[in-house]
Amino acid sequence: MAKLIAKPSLPGPEDIFRTVLPNGITVLARSNFNSPSVSMGGYLPAGAIFESDEKLGLADFVSSSLMRGTQTRDFDGIYNALESVGASMGFDSGVHNANFGGRSLVEDLPLLLKLLSESLKTPIFPKDEIEKLRAQILTGLALREQDTSDMAAMAFDRTLFAGHPYSRPSDGFVETIKAITRRDMQNFHRAHYGPKGMVIAIVGAIEPKKAFEAVNRVLGGWQVPCQVDAPALPPHKPVRKTVRKHHSIAGKSQSDLVIGMIGPSRKDPEYFSASLGNAVLGQFGMMGRIGNVVREKSGLAYYASSSLSAGIGPGSWEVHAGVNPKNLKKAIDLIEKELRRFVKSGVTKNELADCQANYVGRLPLSFESNSGVAGALLSIERYNLGADYFLRYVDLVRGVTRDDVLATAKKYIDPDRLVIATAGP
Amino acid sequence: MANKITQTTLKNGMKVMLKEIHTAPIISSWVWYRVGSRDEPTGKTGISHWTEHMQFKGTKQFPASMLDKAISREGGRWNASTSHDSTRYFETMPADKIDLALRLESDRMQNSLFDAKEVASERTVIISEREGHENEPMFRVSEAVQQTAFHVHPYHHEIIGDMADLRTITRDDLYDHYRKYYVPNNAVLSMAGDFDTKSMLKRIKELFEPIPKGKVPPRLIRPEPEPKGEVRLSVEGPGETTFIQVAYRFPNATDPDYIPLQVFDSLLAGASGLSYKTSRLYRALVDKEFAVDVSGWSEATIDPYLYRITITKHPKRQPEEVLAALDKEITKLQDVLVSSSEITRAVKQARAVFAYGSENITNQAFWMGYVEMFSSYEWFTDYLNKLAKVTPADVRRVARKYFQPSSRVIGTYVPKGKEA
């Protein structure tokens, strides 16, 4: 009934521009002239993996400080330039990378890139600004301490990834944030911020070649000969039996729970069968089977779902729910039962077909906005998926069989070796 | 943003708004009902939101077990939400699959079952939703501020409703509410995306026009009297962090003062959708370390509602010092004319935010219906032009008129733990 107009809606080798500058920066670009705006995003390898246990939160503190003052502009000057034209930009960091993102009207892209370049290359970490930021981070940590969902997630990571960099919260702890000096930040920046391994994507109302030239103009000359390579990830130790951890927070009306185990990394061959299996388990429709038993049938929770967190290193496969404290055990029992069923008999033909149809059908929806496309280009680059990834996507999804899902479930999920983390009263 | 849209009213009174956008093979369809938490009398608070939940519990044609899968199977995204003034349902789908969304919406406009067992299990789901909110200090203080700001008008209560009513509302209460308000002459369909208007309108008529008109109850109108002075309150709870919320009475979205107030808001607290580090409040409160964060926020409503400033207090400051710093900034806007370049800046910011919004089809369909709930589409299309006409004197006038201490409520969240 709807008039379908053929249009190149999926990013592919024909319209994804990619080039690597001589200094190592990878530039990705794709045009979209439907709106006079442009979205920019990217990352560079300057994450928490480089920091010590004593200075946990350093990478995050550094990335949050980049826009607090540079050799050319002070904090207010940076934000005045951005906000005066309705543009925005920000940095954060995870275990592996420091990430950045921003958007502006296309006429202001040169300004956006100039500010990006200054923030990356010449931050000066002004003493008073660092102290203001430190107070803000400490308040953030005090609020985290009261957040049942955050605290359950932290207890989960600490247990599942014991001894591994993924066990640590990248925003640190009160004592480690207090221990970080301005000198630590300057040293971290000097050693880890550089063009090697940096990726930037620009999507919007601009020809890719012009986007590339704009990046090259401000970042093409950046050289950091002593930029330190990231250390290899150590192996993680699997849990031997189900472990339960509870973090007590008084005065709360709801508890949060996380139940899970190690999952595949993004590059593992089982990624797609795990992802589709997870969709059946805790995503599809109203949060899949988990949502059905915990929310729809038992009315125990407003949210109860499962998710796959798959990145560079070992991933995690997690079930999340928020329940009344008195229903915690009941919810855990129901979830454990679903996990056993999932590992024993996998998914039905119809369930798998539903999820495959969902994955294929929703693909164009993820490219509705420029930032959605930029994120897709960055994923292709980060996980080496190939420029034709979205053109192969339908085959990748449809190629997964029930046997694949069952084998993947059995490989990763052992209902007798779960990590169960809860937080609440 | 291109503004050409088709607006029409079906024979049964249902309004339809269509906007063709052929940039991606996607259609977003929204159905809006003119009912929200402001239509709920005491004893039935939360019933609009709960009814919204029940709309996902099935009809004969689309039973609950099938309903939640039907849209997902086609790759669609769908959800619903309830506000003070309206309830809205949307589906964003691959363009060739939108018919399913239309069939579903026309069916559940009249045929939802409200099965007693489903009502019972949804009761605890919603109670759990509320308990999740209550975990948040900001919800606790914000609810108390709202209750204090409105004694008479039904904006008094939170959209989710009071716990007492969530325990006692019955299946028949919900079903009555549904039958009363979910009629075509109380609904608006807004749709944007990759379709042909003529054939789409034909299909919409086939599906929706047979639904009979209903008798819609008048909106619950109990005007709130003028505030009679500043009210201060505090709520206590766990944690180490103090939050302060200051709420001023704010005009409705069609009041002529609403537009200059948007400029005022932009200068005071930052343009919505952007960072706000050069706003006056950020510079005065966060930069000067009275607060670790501050934000300002208003809502486009049918009746006068609130402008709320929310402050996360700096651990080394006393609440009184923080309030004095806030008042100093507001007084400046009341005493000193802003420069016209500041207004130009606010207009440019709004223009950029509009451009970002027009990247997204779901967002465009949303705005058509959203403004229809309190005004008409022209409110949206005229917005930037009206904003550009605001003068420094307008800003000063509205600052004086609306931001007097005597018309505000100040709520403080007092943490029972040790302050960091």
Side-chain angles (χ1 to χ4, degrees):
Chain A
M1 177 213 54
K3 194 171 78 181
L4 268 180
I5 297 165
K7 47 181 68 75
S9 57
L10 296 179
E14 297 293 307
D15 62 3
I16 299 177
F17 173 94
R18 180 184 187 277
T19 193
V20 182
L21 302 181
N23 64 359
I25 297 177
T26 303
V27 184
L28 306 165
R30 187 172 186 257
S31 298
N32 168 22
F33 290 96
N34 296 321
S35 162
S37 53
V38 63
S39 187
M40 175 275 288
Y43 57 88
L44 66 168
I49 195 160
F50 294 104
E51 68 200 19
S52 66
D53 283 345
E54 294 71 35
K55 305 274 173 158
L56 208 59
L58 174 59
D60 201 39
F61 204 164
V62 169
S63 66
S64 307
S65 301
L66 298 176
M67 293 172 69
R68 292 270 156 175
T70 66
Q71 284 171 13
T72 357
R73 295 169 220 248
D74 65 7
F75 171 65
D76 196 66
I78 292 169
Y79 280 97
N80 193 38
L82 277 172
E83 292 175 9
S84 292
V85 298
S88 57
M89 186 168 89
F91 290 85
D92 64 20
S93 69
V95 175
H96 295 280
N97 295 316
N99 308 296
F100 53 88
R103 63 183 186 178
S104 71
L105 292 175
V106 68
E107 70 220 40
D108 301 314
L109 179 64
L111 169 74
L112 193 65
L113 290 173
K114 195 160 194 304
L115 291 168
L116 173 72
S117 163
E118 288 171 11
S119 306
L120 285 171
K121 293 194 289 197
T122 60
I124 56 169
F125 305 102
K127 200 166 171 290
D128 56 335
E129 289 296 334
I130 296 311
E131 292 315 313
K132 280 184 214 171
L133 191 54
R134 194 192 308 272
Q136 291 173 17
I137 293 171
L138 291 173
T139 296
L141 294 179
L143 293 175
R144 185 184 74 181
E145 203 60 38
Q146 286 294 313
D147 189 305
T148 50
S149 157
D150 286 349
M151 294 316 286
M154 268 172 60
F156 178 81
D157 287 345
R158 196 167 52 238
T159 313
L160 183 70
F161 291 112
H164 190 275
Y166 288 2
S167 66
R168 313 185 302 179
S170 54
D171 43 1
F173 296 103
V174 169
E175 58 278 18
T176 64
I177 292 296
K178 283 182 175 166
I180 292 168
T181 64
R182 179 166 176 258
R183 178 60 60 83
D184 292 331
M185 300 174 77
Q186 288 168 323
N187 290 342
F188 188 92
H189 177 263
R190 203 172 298 124
H192 304 300
Y193 276 74
K196 200 165 49 176
M198 176 171 157
V199 181
I200 178 168
I202 293 177
V203 177
I206 184 166
E207 294 292 348
K209 194 162 168 285
K210 287 197 174 149
F212 157 74
E213 283 163 3
V215 174
N216 193 28
R217 212 169 295 134
V218 293
L219 286 163
W222 193 20
Q223 298 290 346
V224 180
C226 53
Q227 190 182 346
V228 179
D229 288 326
L233 279 175
H236 66 88
K237 293 187 209 105
V239 296
R240 302 252 168 250
K241 57 180 191 231
T242 291
V243 187
R244 232 187 121 160
K245 300 280 175 191
H246 179 73
H247 181 87
S248 182
I249 311 176
K252 294 288 171 182
S253 48
Q254 184 168 86
S255 297
D256 266 273
L257 66 86
V258 187
I259 301 179
M261 66 294 297
I262 294 291
S265 81
R266 183 62 184 82
K267 287 179 174 178
D268 275 336
E270 298 100 349
Y271 172 75
F272 263 98
S273 42
S275 180
L276 283 159
N278 178 64
V280 173
L281 183 66
Q283 291 285 327
F284 185 77
M286 193 69 93
M287 302 179 286
R289 290 180 181 178
I290 299 280
N292 191 45
V293 297
V294 180
R295 173 175 161 145
E296 300 304 297
K297 288 208 176 119
S298 318
L300 288 181
Y302 175 57
Y303 58 90
S305 65
S306 69
S307 63
L308 206 57
S309 170
I312 299 282
S316 58
W317 200 335
E318 307 174 5
V319 178
H320 294 253
V323 299
N324 185 289
K326 70 178 189 305
N327 291 328
L328 207 49
K329 185 176 180 311
K330 208 166 154 191
I332 291 170
D333 289 349
L334 284 172
I335 291 165
E336 278 192 300
K337 208 171 136 199
E338 278 310 313
L339 289 174
R340 284 184 195 283
R341 183 181 147 216
F342 184 64
V343 172
K344 189 167 172 240
S345 38
V347 298
T348 68
K349 195 175 149 199
N350 285 344
E351 284 175 323
L352 180 60
D354 278 350
C355 290
Q356 287 170 323
N358 171 258
Y359 273 43
V360 172
R362 75 184 186 195
L363 192 59
L365 272 60
S366 54
F367 305 123
E368 249 196 294
S369 64
N370 288 336
S371 60
V373 175
L377 301 192
L378 291 170
S379 280
I380 285 179
E381 187 64 30
R382 185 172 298 176
Y383 305 116
N384 200 17
L385 304 175
D388 61 347
Y389 172 71
F390 291 109
L391 307 184
R392 291 186 291 113
Y393 180 85
V394 171
D395 292 337
L396 290 168
V397 170
R398 297 238 188 262
V400 172
T401 66
R402 287 178 63 203
D403 288 343
D404 294 337
V405 175
L406 187 61
T408 303
K410 285 187 192 300
K411 175 171 172 183
Y412 289 99
I413 303 175
D414 181 344
D416 295 315
R417 293 178 187 184
L418 299 173
V419 172
I420 302 176
T422 54
Chain B
M1 204 181 289
N3 295 322
K4 203 170 157 290
I5 69 163
T6 300
Q7 303 190 61
T8 187
T9 303
L10 306 188
K11 282 178 193 147
N12 57 12
M14 186 172 114
K15 172 140 194 184
V16 178
M17 309 172 82
L18 301 174
K19 182 175 188 177
E20 285 187 39
I21 306 170
H22 298 287
T23 55
I26 297 171
I27 296 175
S28 184
S29 171
W30 293 66
V31 174
W32 303 73
Y33 295 95
R34 295 180 194 277
V35 60
S37 64
R38 56 90 46 78
D39 299 292
E40 301 162 346
T42 304
K44 300 284 183 286
T45 64
I47 197 167
S48 302
H49 170 252
W50 192 344
T51 299
E52 175 228 297
H53 276 229
M54 295 312 297
Q55 285 292 73
F56 290 82
K57 294 296 185 176
T59 63
K60 252 188 202 160
Q61 192 193 343
F62 294 101
S65 56
M66 168 184 167
L67 187 61
D68 63 354
K69 299 194 176 86
I71 300 281
S72 302
R73 188 181 292 124
E74 303 296 1
R77 194 170 75 229
W78 68 321
N79 210 334
S81 61
T82 307
S83 74
H84 296 296
D85 295 327
S86 71
T87 311
R88 61 303 276 268
Y89 300 81
F90 84 92
E91 296 84 21
T92 298
M93 315 260 320
D96 57 343
K97 299 291 169 36
I98 197 67
D99 201 58
L100 171 66
L102 292 174
R103 283 190 286 125
L104 169 69
E105 291 300 353
S106 74
D107 188 34
R108 69 175 170 180
M109 189 178 285
Q110 49 183 344
N111 299 322
S112 288
L113 297 169
F114 285 67
D115 177 85
K117 266 193 209 148
E118 298 282 11
V119 168
S121 85
E122 209 56 23
R123 184 189 307 279
T124 50
V125 167
I126 291 174
I127 287 174
S128 172
E129 187 179 354
R130 192 182 155 96
E131 286 169 345
H133 290 328
E134 288 173 0
N135 261 11
E136 305 299 327
M138 266 324 300
F139 176 84
R140 296 189 193 191
V141 70
S142 181
E143 181 176 41
V145 164
Q146 193 174 327
Q147 286 166 344
T148 308
F150 295 100
H151 291 279
V152 178
H153 194 283
Y155 286 158
H156 167 82
H157 60 269
E158 283 285 342
I159 291 158
I160 192 147
D162 297 327
M163 202 60 104
D165 297 345
L166 298 181
R167 294 201 177 102
T168 53
I169 286 172
T170 65
R171 183 266 169 196
D172 289 348
D173 293 335
L174 287 158
Y175 192 70
D176 285 348
H177 187 82
Y178 165 62
R179 295 300 294 174
K180 253 198 273 183
Y181 290 101
Y182 284 60
V183 289
N185 43 317
N186 198 39
V188 173
L189 190 156
S190 63
M191 182 189 280
D194 191 13
F195 56 82
D196 168 65
T197 297
K198 209 174 142 201
S199 53
M200 182 56 77
L201 191 56
K202 183 166 170 271
R203 182 62 179 150
I204 290 170
K205 282 184 180 172
E206 281 169 12
L207 288 168
F208 288 90
E209 214 150 45
I211 303 173
K213 238 183 204 185
K215 199 175 162 216
V216 189
R219 307 287 319 235
L220 189 53
I221 297 173
R222 301 186 71 217
E224 186 69 27
E226 285 301 308
K228 297 190 176 59
E230 180 181 284
V231 182
R232 297 192 179 207
L233 63 91
S234 64
V235 290
E236 293 178 354
E240 298 175 359
T241 310
T242 302
F243 295 94
I244 303 168
Q245 189 172 80
V246 185
Y248 294 87
R249 190 73 64 78
F250 204 68
N252 48 310
T254 52
D255 190 295
D257 287 343
Y258 188 84
I259 299 287
L261 279 164
Q262 295 308 302
V263 175
F264 171 89
D265 169 42
S266 193
L267 301 185
L268 185 72
S272 88
L274 298 174
S275 63
Y276 46 89
K277 294 196 166 59
T278 56
S279 70
R280 290 171 179 235
L281 284 187
Y282 191 94
R283 281 173 172 157
L285 296 188
V286 183
D287 254 1
K288 301 276 188 299
E289 301 196 277
F290 289 96
V292 293
D293 198 13
V294 62
S295 63
W297 173 76
S298 70
E299 208 178 313
T301 46
I302 293 175
D303 293 331
Y305 189 55
L306 298 173
Y307 182 88
R308 305 196 203 208
I309 296 163
T310 299
I311 300 164
T312 311
K313 188 181 75 62
H314 200 289
K316 70 183 184 190
R317 300 287 192 170
Q318 293 305 312
E320 285 309 319
E321 293 177 84
V322 180
L323 283 170
L326 169 69
D327 281 342
K328 207 170 133 192
E329 282 313 301
I330 290 177
T331 307
K332 259 192 228 163
L333 280 161
Q334 291 167 333
D335 290 349
V336 186
L337 280 177
V338 302
S339 69
S340 53
S341 66
E342 279 188 274
I343 296 182
T344 311
R345 186 177 187 256
V347 175
K348 162 110 192 189
Q349 290 171 332
R351 185 165 291 130
V353 171
F354 267 61
Y356 306 141
S358 68
E359 285 173 21
N360 182 305
I361 287 167
T362 306
N363 187 57
Q364 298 205 53
F366 163 83
W367 272 101
M368 283 196 287
Y370 179 67
V371 293
E372 186 66 23
M373 288 298 107
F374 56 80
S375 181
S376 65
Y377 193 55
E378 288 67 42
W379 188 93
F380 181 67
T381 52
D382 293 347
Y383 184 83
L384 287 176
N385 289 336
K386 282 190 179 164
L387 209 61
K389 287 188 188 130
V390 171
T391 66
D394 291 334
V395 175
R396 186 173 64 183
R397 182 180 56 78
V398 295
R400 287 174 177 172
K401 184 170 170 188
Y402 294 96
F403 286 80
Q404 295 299 331
S406 58
S407 67
R408 71 183 178 185
V409 177
I410 300 175
T412 307
Y413 180 85
V414 182
K416 285 193 289 189
K418 192 179 138 286
E419 189 127 19

